[in-house]
Amino acid sequence: MQPGAVWAMKPLPDITAAEFRAWQELLETRSGIVLNEQRRAFLQTILAMRLRTLGLSSYASYFQQVTDGPRGAVEWSHLMDHLTVQETHFFRHPPSFRLLGEYLRARQVAADGGAGWQLWSVGCASGEEAYSMALVAAEVQRELETDGCFGVTGSDLSLNALARAREGNYSPRRVAELAPELLERYFLAQSDGSFTVCDTLRERTCFARLNVLDLARAPQRGMDVIFCQNLLIYFRRWRRRDILARLAERLAPGGLLVIGVGEVADWHHPLLESVADEQVLAFTRKG
């Protein structure tokens, strides 16, 4: 039996209060993510898994590894993948995409010229939301028999999630919400039962790493649509409002911001006005 296998069988001690506080501070400082006491067991489970994978013997040694400058950057990325894993699928919140379709149709009808749409999925995870946005935009143009250009940017903190997004390959469970005609029109069925996003959508969708704490340096400006759903729940209330304020500044006049229902309460911004929709929490930028 290999030494690593023997170590993997040894039970790890519980993380101490001091160690937990150190991890809380590190996570919030680097990513803005807040782990309260109720998620202590969750953190310990993730850390223990990484310790066993790396053959380390203590939480302290792992803490030292992930904070060891450039050498720790790769392992930090692995850790974030596990801590921020999201179970997602296409059209996760159907009312939001219904609103998106209505908004793009109205914008296309009112457009004087052929200016293209710029859409942004913030916290795109493995790409389902970004491709869903691209699919809605493509469908609107097909229905209106227009051929304007559009582009979708998906951004996320996880390099692993972004790699999966660029592959654009999904299990049947992830595409279960799609109507059969959309699945046939925008996906290629694979021999293993999975589905790959067609080139016409992938060519209009790009993915980039972005920490939402660094929105001040984000290149996106004049966006027609920004989706930021199921991301703000990780942050403190004051930081949620700061993130939304920076996103509001990146909308074009008349642009649409869609956020997760229940993620913020009583939030207002001088540049925005709320959208009258009982199922979606959304705002448009004043002209």
Side-chain angles (χ1 to χ4, degrees):
M1 183 178 293
Q2 297 296 320
V6 174
W7 161 243
M9 296 169 60
K10 294 180 180 179
L12 289 166
D14 289 338
I15 190 170
T16 67
E19 289 171 331
F20 182 59
R21 286 194 298 271
W23 280 105
Q24 284 179 305
E25 181 179 349
L26 180 65
L27 287 166
E28 185 167 4
T29 300
R30 284 193 173 187
S31 66
I33 293 175
V34 177
L35 291 183
N36 56 29
E37 183 64 32
Q38 287 68 39
R39 303 197 75 196
R40 183 168 172 172
F42 166 73
L43 175 64
Q44 179 173 313
T45 299
I46 298 300
L47 294 179
M49 179 174 60
R50 295 307 301 161
L51 260 66
R52 290 190 173 96
T53 299
L54 298 172
L56 298 175
S57 59
S58 68
Y59 301 110
S61 60
Y62 184 59
F63 187 94
Q64 182 177 1
Q65 177 164 328
V66 298
T67 55
D68 186 18
R71 291 197 305 170
V74 173
E75 180 52 35
W76 175 259
S77 180
H78 287 310
L79 177 61
M80 295 307 298
D81 287 342
H82 292 290
L83 288 175
T84 61
V85 64
Q86 294 186 20
E87 178 61 29
T88 186
H89 51 77
F90 281 79
F91 295 106
R92 178 173 179 174
H93 186 242
S96 295
F97 293 99
R98 182 258 307 157
L99 176 66
L100 174 62
E102 294 171 355
Y103 170 82
L104 292 179
R105 288 185 191 93
R107 202 161 175 90
Q108 180 65 40
V109 170
D112 295 327
W117 303 322
Q118 292 297 322
L119 301 89
W120 183 11
S121 169
V122 183
C124 67
S126 47
E128 288 90 335
E129 181 177 86
Y131 286 125
S132 295
M133 296 171 73
L135 192 157
V136 171
E139 276 294 282
V140 168
Q141 292 191 348
R142 188 185 69 85
E143 293 167 9
L144 297 179
E145 298 182 344
T146 60
D147 193 26
C149 63
F150 69 85
V152 181
T153 299
S155 63
D156 200 89
L157 181 63
S158 169
L159 292 174
N160 188 44
L162 292 171
R164 296 197 304 272
R166 293 187 183 102
E167 289 177 356
N169 182 258
Y170 300 97
S171 68
R173 180 168 52 85
R174 297 295 180 95
V175 299
E177 296 291 331
L178 289 170
E181 61 270 21
L182 295 180
L183 193 61
E184 182 177 356
R185 190 176 297 140
Y186 295 105
F187 291 80
L188 299 175
Q190 305 300 318
S191 58
D192 62 356
S194 64
F195 295 87
T196 301
V197 179
C198 68
D199 288 344
T200 55
L201 289 189
R202 294 179 69 180
E203 290 170 357
R204 298 186 180 213
T205 310
C206 67
F207 297 94
R209 187 175 189 271
L210 175 67
N211 186 335
V212 291
L213 299 189
D214 297 328
L215 281 174
R217 293 182 288 178
Q220 287 81 2
R221 294 290 190 281
M223 307 302 293
D224 295 286
V225 179
I226 300 176
F227 268 47
C228 183
Q229 298 188 300
N230 307 303
L231 172 69
L232 298 175
I233 55 174
Y234 289 106
F235 303 101
R236 296 191 187 277
R237 290 183 181 180
W238 69 266
R239 200 181 294 276
R240 297 179 193 183
R241 294 171 181 269
D242 182 64
I243 291 170
L244 290 173
R246 293 192 178 279
L247 292 178
E249 296 168 356
R250 280 153 178 74
L251 280 174
L256 177 70
L257 171 64
V258 181
I259 60 182
V261 176
E263 290 189 280
V264 293
D266 300 323
W267 180 71
H268 304 281
H269 191 281
L271 292 177
L272 304 180
E273 55 187 5
S274 61
V275 173
D277 193 304
E278 294 182 354
Q279 295 181 296
V280 185
L281 184 55
F283 304 84
T284 54
R285 178 159 178 169
K286 299 173 184 178

mmCIF file of all heavy atoms in Angstrom, residues 243-282:
data_model
loop_
_atom_site.group_PDB
_atom_site.id
_atom_site.type_symbol
_atom_site.label_atom_id
_atom_site.label_comp_id
_atom_site.label_asym_id
_atom_site.label_seq_id
_atom_site.Cartn_x
_atom_site.Cartn_y
_atom_site.Cartn_z
ATOM 1 N N ILE A 243 -21.146 46.088 -5.574
ATOM 2 C CA ILE A 243 -21.051 45.367 -6.848
ATOM 3 C C ILE A 243 -22.125 45.841 -7.810
ATOM 4 O O ILE A 243 -21.862 46.126 -8.990
ATOM 5 C CB ILE A 243 -21.168 43.849 -6.610
ATOM 6 C CG1 ILE A 243 -19.924 43.325 -5.878
ATOM 7 C CG2 ILE A 243 -21.360 43.098 -7.931
ATOM 8 C CD1 ILE A 243 -20.061 41.901 -5.393
ATOM 9 N N LEU A 244 -23.357 45.956 -7.328
ATOM 10 C CA LEU A 244 -24.458 46.388 -8.191
ATOM 11 C C LEU A 244 -24.257 47.818 -8.682
ATOM 12 O O LEU A 244 -24.585 48.139 -9.829
ATOM 13 C CB LEU A 244 -25.782 46.260 -7.439
ATOM 14 C CG LEU A 244 -26.252 44.826 -7.175
ATOM 15 C CD1 LEU A 244 -27.487 44.825 -6.284
ATOM 16 C CD2 LEU A 244 -26.547 44.101 -8.491
ATOM 17 N N ALA A 245 -23.735 48.681 -7.832
ATOM 18 C CA ALA A 245 -23.492 50.064 -8.246
ATOM 19 C C ALA A 245 -22.479 50.115 -9.388
ATOM 20 O O ALA A 245 -22.645 50.886 -10.353
ATOM 21 C CB ALA A 245 -23.002 50.888 -7.061
ATOM 22 N N ARG A 246 -21.458 49.286 -9.309
ATOM 23 C CA ARG A 246 -20.449 49.273 -10.376
ATOM 24 C C ARG A 246 -21.018 48.675 -11.664
ATOM 25 O O ARG A 246 -20.671 49.099 -12.767
ATOM 26 C CB ARG A 246 -19.212 48.507 -9.924
ATOM 27 C CG ARG A 246 -18.465 49.201 -8.792
ATOM 28 C CD ARG A 246 -17.105 48.599 -8.534
ATOM 29 N NE ARG A 246 -16.385 49.290 -7.478
ATOM 30 C CZ ARG A 246 -15.708 50.418 -7.629
ATOM 31 N NH1 ARG A 246 -15.659 50.985 -8.827
ATOM 32 N NH2 ARG A 246 -15.079 50.976 -6.627
ATOM 33 N N LEU A 247 -21.899 47.690 -11.529
ATOM 34 C CA LEU A 247 -22.534 47.129 -12.720
ATOM 35 C C LEU A 247 -23.456 48.154 -13.368
ATOM 36 O O LEU A 247 -23.524 48.250 -14.606
ATOM 37 C CB LEU A 247 -23.318 45.868 -12.355
ATOM 38 C CG LEU A 247 -22.489 44.661 -11.919
ATOM 39 C CD1 LEU A 247 -23.405 43.494 -11.533
ATOM 40 C CD2 LEU A 247 -21.516 44.225 -13.008
ATOM 41 N N ALA A 248 -24.162 48.925 -12.548
ATOM 42 C CA ALA A 248 -25.053 49.954 -13.085
ATOM 43 C C ALA A 248 -24.282 50.955 -13.948
ATOM 44 O O ALA A 248 -24.775 51.405 -14.989
ATOM 45 C CB ALA A 248 -25.761 50.683 -11.940
ATOM 46 N N GLU A 249 -23.072 51.281 -13.535
ATOM 47 C CA GLU A 249 -22.247 52.229 -14.276
ATOM 48 C C GLU A 249 -21.817 51.680 -15.631
ATOM 49 O O GLU A 249 -21.467 52.455 -16.529
ATOM 50 C CB GLU A 249 -21.009 52.585 -13.456
ATOM 51 C CG GLU A 249 -21.323 53.315 -12.153
ATOM 52 C CD GLU A 249 -20.129 53.396 -11.221
ATOM 53 O OE1 GLU A 249 -19.075 52.796 -11.575
ATOM 54 O OE2 GLU A 249 -20.243 54.035 -10.163
ATOM 55 N N ARG A 250 -21.867 50.369 -15.788
ATOM 56 C CA ARG A 250 -21.409 49.747 -17.027
ATOM 57 C C ARG A 250 -22.533 49.460 -18.011
ATOM 58 O O ARG A 250 -22.305 48.898 -19.076
ATOM 59 C CB ARG A 250 -20.648 48.458 -16.690
ATOM 60 C CG ARG A 250 -19.227 48.783 -16.255
ATOM 61 C CD ARG A 250 -18.607 47.773 -15.345
ATOM 62 N NE ARG A 250 -17.241 48.182 -15.039
ATOM 63 C CZ ARG A 250 -16.904 49.172 -14.220
ATOM 64 N NH1 ARG A 250 -17.839 49.866 -13.609
ATOM 65 N NH2 ARG A 250 -15.636 49.495 -14.014
ATOM 66 N N LEU A 251 -23.741 49.866 -17.674
ATOM 67 C CA LEU A 251 -24.869 49.731 -18.586
ATOM 68 C C LEU A 251 -24.930 50.902 -19.559
ATOM 69 O O LEU A 251 -24.647 52.045 -19.197
ATOM 70 C CB LEU A 251 -26.185 49.684 -17.804
ATOM 71 C CG LEU A 251 -26.605 48.381 -17.146
ATOM 72 C CD1 LEU A 251 -27.858 48.624 -16.310
ATOM 73 C CD2 LEU A 251 -26.850 47.289 -18.175
ATOM 74 N N ALA A 252 -25.336 50.615 -20.782
ATOM 75 C CA ALA A 252 -25.634 51.676 -21.739
ATOM 76 C C ALA A 252 -26.971 52.312 -21.358
ATOM 77 O O ALA A 252 -27.782 51.688 -20.654
ATOM 78 C CB ALA A 252 -25.716 51.096 -23.152
ATOM 79 N N PRO A 253 -27.237 53.550 -21.785
ATOM 80 C CA PRO A 253 -28.567 54.125 -21.546
ATOM 81 C C PRO A 253 -29.657 53.198 -22.067
ATOM 82 O O PRO A 253 -29.586 52.709 -23.196
ATOM 83 C CB PRO A 253 -28.516 55.438 -22.331
ATOM 84 C CG PRO A 253 -27.061 55.800 -22.337
ATOM 85 C CD PRO A 253 -26.333 54.492 -22.457
ATOM 86 N N GLY A 254 -30.637 52.906 -21.230
ATOM 87 C CA GLY A 254 -31.684 51.970 -21.598
ATOM 88 C C GLY A 254 -31.340 50.522 -21.358
ATOM 89 O O GLY A 254 -32.175 49.635 -21.567
ATOM 90 N N GLY A 255 -30.100 50.261 -20.910
ATOM 91 C CA GLY A 255 -29.640 48.894 -20.685
ATOM 92 C C GLY A 255 -30.359 48.218 -19.533
ATOM 93 O O GLY A 255 -30.898 48.871 -18.634
ATOM 94 N N LEU A 256 -30.346 46.893 -19.553
ATOM 95 C CA LEU A 256 -31.094 46.075 -18.595
ATOM 96 C C LEU A 256 -30.155 45.352 -17.640
ATOM 97 O O LEU A 256 -29.204 44.694 -18.064
ATOM 98 C CB LEU A 256 -31.938 45.039 -19.361
ATOM 99 C CG LEU A 256 -32.754 44.040 -18.531
ATOM 100 C CD1 LEU A 256 -33.917 44.734 -17.833
ATOM 101 C CD2 LEU A 256 -33.260 42.906 -19.437
ATOM 102 N N LEU A 257 -30.438 45.465 -16.333
ATOM 103 C CA LEU A 257 -29.712 44.734 -15.298
ATOM 104 C C LEU A 257 -30.676 43.768 -14.625
ATOM 105 O O LEU A 257 -31.709 44.183 -14.099
ATOM 106 C CB LEU A 257 -29.132 45.704 -14.262
ATOM 107 C CG LEU A 257 -28.514 45.077 -13.000
ATOM 108 C CD1 LEU A 257 -27.289 44.229 -13.355
ATOM 109 C CD2 LEU A 257 -28.139 46.167 -11.992
ATOM 110 N N VAL A 258 -30.339 42.478 -14.636
ATOM 111 C CA VAL A 258 -31.184 41.446 -14.030
ATOM 112 C C VAL A 258 -30.403 40.788 -12.904
ATOM 113 O O VAL A 258 -29.286 40.303 -13.117
ATOM 114 C CB VAL A 258 -31.604 40.378 -15.059
ATOM 115 C CG1 VAL A 258 -32.502 39.327 -14.405
ATOM 116 C CG2 VAL A 258 -32.332 41.025 -16.235
ATOM 117 N N ILE A 259 -30.989 40.777 -11.698
ATOM 118 C CA ILE A 259 -30.321 40.151 -10.563
ATOM 119 C C ILE A 259 -31.250 39.112 -9.937
ATOM 120 O O ILE A 259 -32.434 39.043 -10.267
ATOM 121 C CB ILE A 259 -29.871 41.190 -9.514
ATOM 122 C CG1 ILE A 259 -31.075 41.965 -8.971
ATOM 123 C CG2 ILE A 259 -28.868 42.149 -10.121
ATOM 124 C CD1 ILE A 259 -30.697 43.033 -7.960
ATOM 125 N N GLY A 260 -30.698 38.291 -9.063
ATOM 126 C CA GLY A 260 -31.476 37.213 -8.471
ATOM 127 C C GLY A 260 -32.540 37.719 -7.516
ATOM 128 O O GLY A 260 -32.279 38.598 -6.681
ATOM 129 N N VAL A 261 -33.714 37.177 -7.632
ATOM 130 C CA VAL A 261 -34.811 37.552 -6.736
ATOM 131 C C VAL A 261 -34.425 37.211 -5.297
ATOM 132 O O VAL A 261 -33.988 36.103 -5.007
ATOM 133 C CB VAL A 261 -36.109 36.829 -7.134
ATOM 134 C CG1 VAL A 261 -37.228 37.142 -6.138
ATOM 135 C CG2 VAL A 261 -36.522 37.217 -8.544
ATOM 136 N N GLY A 262 -34.556 38.195 -4.413
ATOM 137 C CA GLY A 262 -34.252 37.964 -3.010
ATOM 138 C C GLY A 262 -32.796 38.168 -2.631
ATOM 139 O O GLY A 262 -32.446 38.045 -1.458
ATOM 140 N N GLU A 263 -31.930 38.486 -3.593
ATOM 141 C CA GLU A 263 -30.512 38.655 -3.272
ATOM 142 C C GLU A 263 -30.215 40.018 -2.656
ATOM 143 O O GLU A 263 -29.212 40.181 -1.960
ATOM 144 C CB GLU A 263 -29.658 38.442 -4.523
ATOM 145 C CG GLU A 263 -29.629 36.998 -4.981
ATOM 146 C CD GLU A 263 -28.611 36.751 -6.076
ATOM 147 O OE1 GLU A 263 -28.908 37.049 -7.239
ATOM 148 O OE2 GLU A 263 -27.515 36.266 -5.764
ATOM 149 N N VAL A 264 -31.036 41.004 -2.941
ATOM 150 C CA VAL A 264 -30.919 42.318 -2.303
ATOM 151 C C VAL A 264 -32.324 42.802 -1.980
ATOM 152 O O VAL A 264 -33.289 42.416 -2.652
ATOM 153 C CB VAL A 264 -30.202 43.350 -3.199
ATOM 154 C CG1 VAL A 264 -28.752 42.987 -3.396
ATOM 155 C CG2 VAL A 264 -30.907 43.500 -4.530
ATOM 156 N N ALA A 265 -32.409 43.624 -0.951
ATOM 157 C CA ALA A 265 -33.719 44.154 -0.555
ATOM 158 C C ALA A 265 -33.651 45.680 -0.499
ATOM 159 O O ALA A 265 -32.668 46.249 -0.014
ATOM 160 C CB ALA A 265 -34.119 43.604 0.811
ATOM 161 N N ASP A 266 -34.690 46.318 -1.031
ATOM 162 C CA ASP A 266 -34.810 47.781 -0.980
ATOM 163 C C ASP A 266 -33.578 48.486 -1.545
ATOM 164 O O ASP A 266 -33.092 49.472 -0.983
ATOM 165 C CB ASP A 266 -35.049 48.247 0.470
ATOM 166 C CG ASP A 266 -36.324 47.661 1.048
ATOM 167 O OD1 ASP A 266 -37.302 47.537 0.294
ATOM 168 O OD2 ASP A 266 -36.319 47.312 2.237
ATOM 169 N N TRP A 267 -33.073 47.968 -2.659
ATOM 170 C CA TRP A 267 -31.908 48.602 -3.282
ATOM 171 C C TRP A 267 -32.355 49.563 -4.365
ATOM 172 O O TRP A 267 -33.234 49.247 -5.168
ATOM 173 C CB TRP A 267 -30.978 47.545 -3.883
ATOM 174 C CG TRP A 267 -29.762 48.142 -4.543
ATOM 175 C CD1 TRP A 267 -28.697 48.727 -3.932
ATOM 176 C CD2 TRP A 267 -29.498 48.229 -5.952
ATOM 177 N NE1 TRP A 267 -27.778 49.159 -4.863
ATOM 178 C CE2 TRP A 267 -28.246 48.865 -6.106
ATOM 179 C CE3 TRP A 267 -30.204 47.821 -7.090
ATOM 180 C CZ2 TRP A 267 -27.679 49.107 -7.353
ATOM 181 C CZ3 TRP A 267 -29.638 48.058 -8.335
ATOM 182 C CH2 TRP A 267 -28.395 48.695 -8.468
ATOM 183 N N HIS A 268 -31.759 50.738 -4.368
ATOM 184 C CA HIS A 268 -32.056 51.742 -5.387
ATOM 185 C C HIS A 268 -30.751 52.347 -5.864
ATOM 186 O O HIS A 268 -29.744 52.353 -5.153
ATOM 187 C CB HIS A 268 -32.961 52.843 -4.816
ATOM 188 C CG HIS A 268 -34.232 52.341 -4.223
ATOM 189 N ND1 HIS A 268 -35.332 51.982 -4.966
ATOM 190 C CD2 HIS A 268 -34.575 52.118 -2.912
ATOM 191 C CE1 HIS A 268 -36.302 51.573 -4.173
ATOM 192 N NE2 HIS A 268 -35.864 51.633 -2.914
ATOM 193 N N HIS A 269 -30.771 52.862 -7.083
ATOM 194 C CA HIS A 269 -29.594 53.529 -7.637
ATOM 195 C C HIS A 269 -30.070 54.691 -8.489
ATOM 196 O O HIS A 269 -31.032 54.547 -9.257
ATOM 197 C CB HIS A 269 -28.768 52.547 -8.483
ATOM 198 C CG HIS A 269 -27.426 53.064 -8.861
ATOM 199 N ND1 HIS A 269 -27.238 53.968 -9.893
ATOM 200 C CD2 HIS A 269 -26.187 52.828 -8.346
ATOM 201 C CE1 HIS A 269 -25.956 54.249 -10.004
ATOM 202 N NE2 HIS A 269 -25.299 53.572 -9.074
ATOM 203 N N PRO A 270 -29.415 55.848 -8.380
ATOM 204 C CA PRO A 270 -29.890 57.032 -9.117
ATOM 205 C C PRO A 270 -29.879 56.880 -10.632
ATOM 206 O O PRO A 270 -30.618 57.588 -11.326
ATOM 207 C CB PRO A 270 -28.928 58.143 -8.664
ATOM 208 C CG PRO A 270 -27.729 57.425 -8.113
ATOM 209 C CD PRO A 270 -28.257 56.158 -7.527
ATOM 210 N N LEU A 271 -29.064 55.967 -11.159
ATOM 211 C CA LEU A 271 -29.002 55.782 -12.612
ATOM 212 C C LEU A 271 -30.087 54.840 -13.126
ATOM 213 O O LEU A 271 -30.310 54.751 -14.332
ATOM 214 C CB LEU A 271 -27.633 55.226 -13.019
ATOM 215 C CG LEU A 271 -26.415 56.130 -12.849
ATOM 216 C CD1 LEU A 271 -25.151 55.372 -13.226
ATOM 217 C CD2 LEU A 271 -26.558 57.393 -13.696
ATOM 218 N N LEU A 272 -30.748 54.127 -12.205
ATOM 219 C CA LEU A 272 -31.627 53.035 -12.617
ATOM 220 C C LEU A 272 -33.080 53.276 -12.213
ATOM 221 O O LEU A 272 -33.365 53.994 -11.256
ATOM 222 C CB LEU A 272 -31.161 51.719 -11.987
ATOM 223 C CG LEU A 272 -29.719 51.275 -12.249
ATOM 224 C CD1 LEU A 272 -29.451 49.962 -11.543
ATOM 225 C CD2 LEU A 272 -29.443 51.153 -13.737
ATOM 226 N N GLU A 273 -33.960 52.624 -12.963
ATOM 227 C CA GLU A 273 -35.358 52.553 -12.553
ATOM 228 C C GLU A 273 -35.789 51.091 -12.633
ATOM 229 O O GLU A 273 -35.358 50.344 -13.513
ATOM 230 C CB GLU A 273 -36.232 53.438 -13.440
ATOM 231 C CG GLU A 273 -36.135 53.191 -14.921
ATOM 232 C CD GLU A 273 -36.910 54.224 -15.718
ATOM 233 O OE1 GLU A 273 -37.433 55.168 -15.099
ATOM 234 O OE2 GLU A 273 -36.989 54.080 -16.949
ATOM 235 N N SER A 274 -36.637 50.693 -11.701
ATOM 236 C CA SER A 274 -37.019 49.291 -11.606
ATOM 237 C C SER A 274 -37.962 48.892 -12.728
ATOM 238 O O SER A 274 -38.722 49.712 -13.249
ATOM 239 C CB SER A 274 -37.675 49.016 -10.255
ATOM 240 O OG SER A 274 -38.845 49.794 -10.107
ATOM 241 N N VAL A 275 -37.897 47.626 -13.092
ATOM 242 C CA VAL A 275 -38.776 47.055 -14.113
ATOM 243 C C VAL A 275 -40.006 46.476 -13.408
ATOM 244 O O VAL A 275 -39.873 45.753 -12.417
ATOM 245 C CB VAL A 275 -38.051 45.950 -14.911
ATOM 246 C CG1 VAL A 275 -39.018 45.242 -15.860
ATOM 247 C CG2 VAL A 275 -36.874 46.543 -15.681
ATOM 248 N N ALA A 276 -41.164 46.797 -13.925
ATOM 249 C CA ALA A 276 -42.407 46.304 -13.323
ATOM 250 C C ALA A 276 -42.630 44.852 -13.735
ATOM 251 O O ALA A 276 -43.209 44.568 -14.780
ATOM 252 C CB ALA A 276 -43.587 47.172 -13.753
ATOM 253 N N ASP A 277 -42.139 43.946 -12.923
ATOM 254 C CA ASP A 277 -42.298 42.514 -13.191
ATOM 255 C C ASP A 277 -42.296 41.792 -11.858
ATOM 256 O O ASP A 277 -41.329 41.863 -11.100
ATOM 257 C CB ASP A 277 -41.171 41.998 -14.084
ATOM 258 C CG ASP A 277 -41.443 40.609 -14.638
ATOM 259 O OD1 ASP A 277 -41.689 39.690 -13.834
ATOM 260 O OD2 ASP A 277 -41.402 40.439 -15.874
ATOM 261 N N GLU A 278 -43.362 41.085 -11.547
ATOM 262 C CA GLU A 278 -43.491 40.442 -10.251
ATOM 263 C C GLU A 278 -42.590 39.224 -10.087
ATOM 264 O O GLU A 278 -42.337 38.777 -8.972
ATOM 265 C CB GLU A 278 -44.948 40.026 -10.022
ATOM 266 C CG GLU A 278 -45.919 41.197 -9.911
ATOM 267 C CD GLU A 278 -47.331 40.739 -9.629
ATOM 268 O OE1 GLU A 278 -47.571 39.498 -9.643
ATOM 269 O OE2 GLU A 278 -48.198 41.606 -9.397
ATOM 270 N N GLN A 279 -42.091 38.670 -11.188
ATOM 271 C CA GLN A 279 -41.294 37.445 -11.117
ATOM 272 C C GLN A 279 -39.796 37.672 -11.265
ATOM 273 O O GLN A 279 -39.008 36.751 -11.032
ATOM 274 C CB GLN A 279 -41.754 36.474 -12.207
ATOM 275 C CG GLN A 279 -43.176 35.968 -12.032
ATOM 276 C CD GLN A 279 -43.549 34.997 -13.123
ATOM 277 O OE1 GLN A 279 -43.615 35.343 -14.314
ATOM 278 N NE2 GLN A 279 -43.808 33.752 -12.742
ATOM 279 N N VAL A 280 -39.402 38.878 -11.665
ATOM 280 C CA VAL A 280 -37.985 39.155 -11.932
ATOM 281 C C VAL A 280 -37.588 40.451 -11.233
ATOM 282 O O VAL A 280 -38.357 41.413 -11.211
ATOM 283 C CB VAL A 280 -37.722 39.299 -13.441
ATOM 284 C CG1 VAL A 280 -36.230 39.457 -13.710
ATOM 285 C CG2 VAL A 280 -38.280 38.097 -14.204
ATOM 286 N N LEU A 281 -36.389 40.450 -10.654
ATOM 287 C CA LEU A 281 -35.831 41.659 -10.067
ATOM 288 C C LEU A 281 -34.886 42.264 -11.098
ATOM 289 O O LEU A 281 -33.793 41.736 -11.346
ATOM 290 C CB LEU A 281 -35.086 41.346 -8.774
ATOM 291 C CG LEU A 281 -34.528 42.532 -7.986
ATOM 292 C CD1 LEU A 281 -35.641 43.536 -7.669
ATOM 293 C CD2 LEU A 281 -33.853 42.053 -6.706
ATOM 294 N N ALA A 282 -35.323 43.357 -11.736
ATOM 295 C CA ALA A 282 -34.564 43.929 -12.844
ATOM 296 C C ALA A 282 -34.701 45.442 -12.859
ATOM 297 O O ALA A 282 -35.676 46.005 -12.327
ATOM 298 C CB ALA A 282 -35.034 43.339 -14.166
#
